[in-house]
Structures are given as C-alpha cells and as structure tokens.
Amino acid sequence: MNHDTVLKTFIIYITIKAMIFLPLAWAALIFWWNDSERSSTPAEQ
C-alpha cells in the first residue's frame, strides 16, 4: 500500500465514522439541552 491508498482509506474511514457519530452526538446534545432547560425552570403544579 502506498501513501495515496493509505490516505484515501483514512479519509473514507473518518467520513464513515463522522456519518455515524455526529448525528448521535447532535441528538445527545439536544436531549441534554432540553433536559437542562426543563430542570432549570421551576415546575408548575
């Protein structure tokens, strides 16, 4: 394997990992943000 093949394989690997990880991280961030917003405001009962 030459340098060009290794570089292309690495770019493909990082792209696939980002396609899987970034939506999960985005969903977790939104869930955490909504949860912290809900807990910071006093509950009306």
Side-chain angles (χ1 to χ4, degrees), residues 15-31:
T15 304
I16 291 171
K17 285 288 185 181
M19 287 172 61
I20 295 168
F21 177 72
L22 288 178
L24 291 175
W26 182 249
L29 180 66
I30 291 174
F31 179 77

Side-chain angles (χ1 to χ4, degrees), residues 13-45:
Y13 175 77
I14 293 297
T15 304
I16 291 171
K17 285 288 185 181
M19 287 172 61
I20 295 168
F21 177 72
L22 288 178
L24 291 175
W26 182 249
L29 180 66
I30 291 174
F31 179 77
W32 173 81
W33 181 261
N34 288 338
D35 194 45
S36 64
E37 288 270 323
R38 196 178 310 123
S39 63
S40 65
T41 57
E44 298 178 11
Q45 293 184 4

